[in-house]
């Protein structure tokens, strides 16, 4: 049977905790545009994608865009950046009065008319997102996302 002294156990726990800590974190920033214009007041979310070897890669990171559409991701304990590796990206308009779009019709969710505003960001960027971004070891300031809103069907 393996016996660990208290200091050795502490070092082992510190080493394991470091697997998803600052050593695997990198700064990430960028700009969100909607129909070619900087988009303020959006929520940008990065969620690490699991692999067969690492099905639970860690917590995600998020940020709000400023008036220029610029964002800087924050992770756990407000550390700048995101875990290194592939992430699912979701972007939506910030606010409790905003509802998503129906992916088939582009209409608002089942909310009384006039009670809420429809998010101009299509579901392919939030609820139905398949958008991926690979965070490199050195980080990036080029996590730019150019969103095109769907036009209403005639």
């Amino acid at each position: 049977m393996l016996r660990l002294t208290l200091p050795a156990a502490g070092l082992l726990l510190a080493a394991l905790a470091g697997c998803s800590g600052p050593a695997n974190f990198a700064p990430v920033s960028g700009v969100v545009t909607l129909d070619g214009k900087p988009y303020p007041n959006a929520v940008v979310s990065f969620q690490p994608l699991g692999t067969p070897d690492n099905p639970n890669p860690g917590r995600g990171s998020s940020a709000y865009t400023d008036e220029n559409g610029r964002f800087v991701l924050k992770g756990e304990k407000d550390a700048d950046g995101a875990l290194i590796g592939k992430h699912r990206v979701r972007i939506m308009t910030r606010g409790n009065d905003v509802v998503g779009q129906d992916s088939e019709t582009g209409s608002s969710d089942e909310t009384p008319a006039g009670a809420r505003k429809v998010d101009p960001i299509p579901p392919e960027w939030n609820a139905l997102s398949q958008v991926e971004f690979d965070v490199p070891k050195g980080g990036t300031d080029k996590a730019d996302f150019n969103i095109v809103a769907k036009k209403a069907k005639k």
Side-chain angles (χ1 to χ4, degrees):
M1 182 168 138
L2 177 64
R3 291 183 153 230
L4 292 176
T5 64
L6 191 54
L11 286 173
L12 178 62
L13 287 174
L16 290 173
C19 290
S20 65
N24 288 339
F25 232 65
V28 177
S29 62
V31 175
V32 173
T33 59
L34 179 65
D35 294 329
K37 297 176 185 167
Y39 192 69
N41 212 31
V43 179
V44 180
S45 165
F46 275 47
Q47 183 60 47
L49 294 174
T51 64
D53 294 339
N54 185 12
N56 299 307
R59 291 189 175 186
S61 300
S62 62
Y64 298 128
T65 58
D66 65 15
E67 63 277 355
N68 298 311
R70 187 137 184 82
F71 68 92
V72 177
L73 287 179
K74 300 278 186 191
E76 194 171 347
K77 298 180 184 172
D78 287 332
D80 284 353
L83 287 170
I84 296 166
K86 286 194 182 215
H87 293 256
R88 172 82 57 232
V89 177
R90 289 185 173 87
I91 302 173
M92 63 193 76
T93 300
R94 181 180 180 185
N96 292 331
D97 63 338
V98 179
V99 294
Q101 298 176 3
D102 179 281
S103 61
E104 294 298 314
T105 64
S107 64
S108 65
D109 296 338
E110 294 184 28
T111 303
R116 297 181 181 226
K117 65 180 181 180
V118 176
D119 192 343
I121 298 174
E124 293 79 18
W125 283 93
N126 45 64
L128 301 177
S129 179
Q130 293 300 309
V131 178
E132 293 182 5
F133 189 88
D134 196 1
V135 174
K137 287 184 182 182
T140 183
D141 63 354
K142 303 284 187 228
D144 299 334
F145 301 101
N146 302 309
I147 301 169
V148 176
K150 288 188 174 180
K151 304 298 177 201
K153 295 179 182 178
K154 291 184 179 183

